């Protein structure tokens, strides 16, 4: 109910209008019951029994009065429904926007610890569940007015019959409270499993290429089926509880009406109550049967409200932040110098579901509990100095920490120990936007939006709201495409820069996507360019042309490139050999190769594999001859 009160405070105007409509509905409904009793006494009974003169004017007056009250009641219903829906949908939209903003504000390390599927479920089904009760809450509050007015009218007609009839109200409330308590854990479990099904589905869709290439479709379907069946079983359990309680709740008002008619008939026969009063009380009690169910609807939604709001608030109240300072880079521009001191990083521990942390919301999965140990460090005591304008190649085996180092240099994540310094300034003391304005990262897994070539490269820098000094035009885009050796294939596209590339660049090859991603970075004229194996999808000739273009562009850029091909490494002024998160050796490529056997094995592995493939082709060809 605190959540509902918060929603009312956030949308006071819409909620107030909905309540006003509901009050009109309640008062109009009670007034119609009172009028039915009076019309029965003064028009219907005299006309049927012949005990009084009833004129046509009396009949028209009674009918028009009832019609007027009915129209006012209908207007109240319309206002209540429309504005109650407006309250719920406005709150849902607002909280989805808040979540989207919070997702973008939270550090990347936080996202690494939270499944994307669960985050999508929170922005979708959890937000919906949180505010679903707002559809019926104004109705329920209007029913309070209806009960109060109807109770007074029934008591005025006959206190005995009013007492008999109104006993159904506490009985209904008691049944609904028991119902809500039985439903709460079941509905919470359903809400939790919805997030797990969403997480599994999202992971399967994201890994579709792996699933298809390895022929694991059946296994993925089975994995999804297990989660879907658990959700089905939870829904069935909630449905059984609903099926057991709702018929009882539906029957109580009818039983109350029967009790009133039974007692009222006897009292009317004895002259203790008039026919009109009996009709009025029975009619009002019958009118109460449906509206009083609104309390049950609100109570049945509250468990979903609590479960949904628990997840939503856990994200909105998340304390993880990326602290920004107030310093700026030197306005003169030019390449930046990079240095790290004692740099260390541990990947975050996977987070638990917020619903698992609330003992009053049962349904915890053992697999949802975070491991009790910290993961091994991805980097440890890495100290580097990269001169401004130089090119450094970072070489290492898989899992050596190369990509982690690349992310730290552009402050995608903050180190767990040590410092990253750009041009003598700790990146944590720089103002928001300074690192993004000076440094660019091209990751090994490139992402292309479902947009035009122009939109993917400019990506926010072609908007009129962007300062003129940072805004890019078509000339800047073509220049970046030339440097990335993408000009020819973009020119050959039917739409050129206006060509839509499809979801995730589905109309492009892997190498074309990488070159677009590289052009996206270059169009920003970065002072520090970090390439995390960003040319792996290019053939050696194109890769060499791209890297030569970067070297000859004269842009004044410091380049840190994660590499494994000898041709890429040969362009570097210095090589850094990483293994198990530590710097094993560093220096000119030739010197490192002379003294570091592990480095020699890495850089010659590609050449050996190519030679082995060539030898295999030669041998096979000779055998065939």
């Amino acid at each position: 109910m605190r959540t509902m009160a918060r929603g009312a405070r956030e949308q006071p105007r819409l909620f107030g209008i909905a309540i006003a409509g509901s009050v009109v509905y309640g008062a109009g409904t009670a007034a119609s019951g009172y009028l039915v009793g009076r019309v029965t006494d003064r028009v219907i009974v005299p006309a049927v029994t012949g005990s009084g003169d009833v004129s046509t004017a009396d009949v028209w007056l009674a009918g028009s009065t009832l019609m007027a009250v009915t129209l006012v009641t209908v207007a109240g219903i319309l206002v209540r429904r429309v504005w109650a829906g407006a309250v719920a949908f406005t709150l849902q939209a607002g909280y989805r926007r808040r979540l989207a903003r919070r997702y973008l504000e939270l550090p990347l390390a936080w996202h690494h610890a939270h499944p994307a599927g669960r985050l999508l479920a929170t922005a979708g089904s959890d937000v919906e569940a949180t505010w679903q009760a707002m559809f019926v809450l104004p109705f329920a509050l209007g029913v309070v007015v209806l009960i109060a007015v109807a109770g007074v009218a029934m008591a005025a007609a006959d206190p005995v019959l009013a007492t008999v009839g109104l006993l159904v109200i506490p009985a209904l409330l008691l049944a609904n409270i028991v119902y809500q308590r039985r439903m709460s854990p079941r509905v919470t479990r359903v809400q939790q499993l919805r997030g797990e099904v969403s997480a599994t589905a999202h992971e399967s869709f994201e890994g579709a290429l792996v699933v298809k290439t390895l022929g694991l479709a059946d296994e993925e379907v089975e994995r999804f089926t297990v989660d879907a069946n658990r959700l089905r079983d939870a829904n069935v359990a909630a449905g059984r509880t609903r099926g057991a309680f709702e018929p009882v709740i539906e029957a109580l008002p009818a039983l109350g009406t029967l009790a009133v008619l039974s007692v009222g008939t006897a009292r009317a026969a004895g002259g203790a109550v008039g026919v009109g009063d009996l009709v009025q009380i029975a009619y009002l009690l019958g009118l109460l049967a449906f509206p009083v169910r609104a309390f049950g609807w609100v109570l049945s939604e509250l468990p979903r409200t609590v479960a949904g709001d628990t997840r939503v608030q856990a994200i909105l109240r998340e304390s993880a932040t990326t602290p920004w300072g107030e310093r700026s880079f030197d306005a003169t521009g030019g390449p930046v110098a990079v240095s790290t001191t004692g740099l260390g990083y541990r990947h975050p521990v996977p987070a638990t579901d917020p619903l698992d942390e609330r003992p009053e919301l049962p349904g915890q999965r053992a697999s949802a509990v975070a491991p009790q140990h910290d993961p091994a460090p991805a980097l440890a005591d890495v100290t580097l100095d990269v001169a401004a304008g130089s090119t450094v190649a970072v070489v290492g085996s898989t899992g050596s920490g190369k990509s982690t180092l690349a992310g730290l240099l552009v402050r995608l994540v903050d180190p767990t120990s040590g410092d990253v310094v750009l041009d003598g300034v700790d990146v944590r003391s720089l103002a928001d936007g300074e690192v993004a304005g000076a440094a660019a990262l091209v990751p090994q897994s490139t992402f292309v939006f479902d947009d035009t070539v122009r939109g993917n490269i400019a990506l926010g820098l072609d908007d009129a709201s962007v300062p003129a000094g940072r805004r890019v035009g078509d000339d800047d885009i073509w220049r970046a495409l030339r440097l990335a050796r993408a000009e020819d294939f973009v020119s050959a596209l039917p739409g050129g820069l206006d060509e839509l590339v499809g979801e995730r660049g589905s109309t492009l090859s892997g190498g074309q996507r990488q070159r677009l991603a590289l052009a996206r970075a270059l169009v920003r004229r970065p002072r520090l360019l970090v390439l995390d194996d960003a040319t792996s999808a290019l053939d050696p000739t194109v890769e060499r042309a791209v890297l030569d273009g970067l070297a000859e562009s004269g842009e004044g850029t410091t380049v840190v490139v994660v590499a494994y091909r000898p041709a890429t490494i040969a362009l570097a002024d210095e090589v850094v050999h990483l293994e198990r998160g530590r710097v094993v050796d560093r220096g000119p490529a030739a010197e490192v190769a002379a003294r570091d056997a592990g480095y020699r094995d890495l850089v010659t592995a590609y050449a050996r594999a190519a030679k082995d493939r060539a030898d295999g082709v030669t041998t096979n060809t000779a055998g065939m001859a």
Side-chain angles (χ1 to χ4, degrees):
M1 294 307 296
R2 283 196 298 269
T3 301
M4 296 296 97
R6 186 175 75 244
R9 288 195 304 270
E10 291 182 8
Q11 296 296 328
R13 185 180 66 85
L14 295 178
F15 189 74
I17 294 174
I19 291 297
S22 191
V23 168
V24 170
Y25 155 76
T29 302
S32 67
Y34 174 80
L35 287 173
V36 166
R38 302 289 69 76
V39 169
T40 301
D41 272 341
R42 299 176 185 178
V43 178
I44 298 175
V45 171
V48 171
T49 62
S51 58
D53 293 330
V54 179
S55 65
T56 303
D58 293 332
V59 174
W60 278 105
L61 178 61
S64 59
T65 305
L66 285 171
M67 178 61 71
V69 171
T70 300
L71 290 175
V72 170
T73 304
V74 169
I77 293 172
L78 290 175
V79 170
R80 185 202 74 221
R81 288 187 175 181
V82 171
W83 268 267
V87 171
F89 290 129
T90 301
L91 286 169
Q92 289 176 10
Y95 272 81
R96 288 192 175 107
R97 286 194 295 269
R98 292 188 202 180
L99 284 172
R101 170 59 59 186
R102 193 70 187 114
Y103 286 158
L104 294 173
E105 292 172 346
L106 287 166
L108 193 61
W110 183 91
H111 284 275
H112 290 163
H114 292 77
R118 188 194 300 165
L119 300 183
L120 289 173
T122 297
S125 61
D126 287 332
V127 170
E128 180 181 347
T130 300
W131 302 114
Q132 192 70 21
M134 294 300 285
F135 284 102
V136 291
L137 182 61
F139 187 17
L141 295 178
V143 171
V144 174
V145 175
L146 172 58
I147 292 173
V149 176
V152 171
M154 286 190 287
D158 185 67
V160 175
L161 290 182
T163 302
V164 172
L166 291 176
L167 283 176
V168 74
I169 303 300
L172 276 171
L173 291 177
L174 179 61
N176 276 301
I177 290 172
V178 175
Y179 174 42
Q180 181 263 336
R181 290 181 177 176
R182 293 288 300 274
M183 281 291 287
S184 180
R186 290 165 175 79
V187 173
T188 299
R189 182 63 173 155
V190 168
Q191 199 67 19
Q192 186 178 38
L193 288 173
R194 282 178 178 171
E196 294 174 8
V197 168
S198 177
T200 301
H202 181 269
E203 189 175 47
S204 295
F205 299 152
E206 285 288 295
L209 182 61
V210 175
V211 172
K212 290 287 188 182
T213 54
L214 297 181
L216 298 176
D218 291 341
E219 286 79 359
E220 279 300 294
V221 169
E222 180 60 30
R223 187 165 75 100
F224 183 79
T225 299
V226 170
D227 284 346
N229 285 344
R230 292 170 64 219
L231 176 58
R232 175 204 62 197
D233 294 343
N235 274 314
V236 168
R240 285 173 177 163
T241 303
R242 185 178 295 112
F245 276 88
E246 288 196 350
V248 175
I249 295 172
E250 292 281 359
L252 284 174
L255 293 175
T257 303
L258 287 175
V260 166
L261 290 175
S262 299
V263 176
T265 301
R267 288 178 63 77
V273 63
V275 175
D277 292 333
L278 175 58
V279 170
Q280 174 186 325
I281 294 173
Y283 180 76
L284 285 172
L285 194 59
L287 289 179
L288 286 174
F290 176 74
V292 168
R293 289 299 318 282
F295 291 114
W297 296 333
V298 172
L299 290 172
S300 66
E301 288 292 343
L302 292 186
R304 294 185 67 217
T305 295
V306 173
D309 196 48
T310 296
R311 276 182 170 165
V312 171
Q313 293 302 320
I315 293 171
L316 294 180
R317 295 171 181 169
E318 179 58 57
S319 60
T321 58
T322 300
W324 300 101
E326 298 180 354
R327 299 190 60 179
S328 301
F329 280 119
D330 185 354
T332 58
V336 300
V338 181
S339 65
T340 68
T341 305
L343 201 62
Y345 184 76
R346 290 179 185 269
H347 291 293
V349 174
T352 59
D353 190 328
L355 296 182
D356 292 336
E357 300 168 6
R358 297 190 56 161
E360 73 273 23
L361 302 178
Q364 178 172 318
R365 289 180 63 190
S367 60
V369 179
Q372 299 302 309
H373 58 82
D374 291 334
L379 289 177
D381 197 25
V382 173
T383 299
L384 292 175
D385 287 299
V386 180
S390 64
T391 299
V392 172
V394 180
V395 183
S397 58
T398 301
S400 60
K402 305 184 298 296
S403 295
T404 302
L405 177 61
L408 288 168
L409 294 181
V410 296
R411 210 189 175 192
L412 286 184
V413 292
D414 281 335
T416 50
S417 62
D419 306 298
V420 176
V421 177
L422 302 182
D423 263 2
V425 182
D426 190 318
V427 293
R428 285 170 290 200
S429 65
L430 288 167
D432 188 7
E434 285 294 306
V435 176
L441 168 70
V442 184
Q444 55 185 324
S445 54
T446 56
F447 186 88
V448 180
F449 290 90
D450 186 7
D451 198 352
T452 62
V453 172
R454 179 187 289 104
N456 269 287
I457 295 176
L459 203 60
L461 295 184
D462 57 349
D463 191 85
S465 61
V466 177
R470 295 190 59 202
R471 198 178 309 155
V472 300
D474 285 1
D475 290 342
D476 301 298
I477 293 173
W478 283 114
R479 168 196 153 276
L481 289 170
R482 281 192 295 275
L483 288 176
R485 294 303 187 265
E487 182 181 25
D488 291 342
F489 90 78
V490 171
S491 299
L493 294 173
L497 293 180
D498 295 316
E499 181 76 7
L500 289 169
V501 298
E503 185 178 4
R504 295 179 176 270
S506 58
T507 63
L508 305 175
S509 69
Q512 290 172 332
R513 288 194 294 270
Q514 278 197 335
R515 279 181 275 178
L516 282 189
L518 184 58
R520 179 193 298 158
L522 294 174
V523 80
R524 285 155 170 78
R525 300 179 186 270
R527 300 170 62 187
L528 169 64
L529 179 63
V530 181
L531 304 176
D532 183 9
D533 201 11
T535 56
S536 59
L538 307 182
D539 62 70
T541 304
V542 175
E543 180 190 36
R544 179 76 191 198
V546 169
L547 296 174
D548 284 342
L550 290 176
E552 297 168 1
S553 65
E555 294 293 327
T557 301
T558 304
V559 179
V560 177
V561 54
V562 173
Y564 65 93
R565 288 175 174 173
T568 309
I569 298 170
L571 296 174
D573 302 307
E574 189 178 34
V575 169
V576 175
H577 180 202
L578 277 182
E579 281 300 332
R580 297 184 179 180
R582 297 179 180 274
V583 177
V584 177
D585 204 345
R586 61 173 299 179
E591 294 180 10
V592 175
R595 62 177 177 253
D596 188 341
Y599 170 79
R600 281 198 307 276
D601 289 340
L602 282 172
V603 297
T604 59
Y606 182 81
R608 289 200 309 271
K611 183 177 182 300
D612 290 343
R613 287 195 298 270
D615 291 344
V617 170
T618 302
T619 302
N620 291 338
T621 303
M624 291 171 64

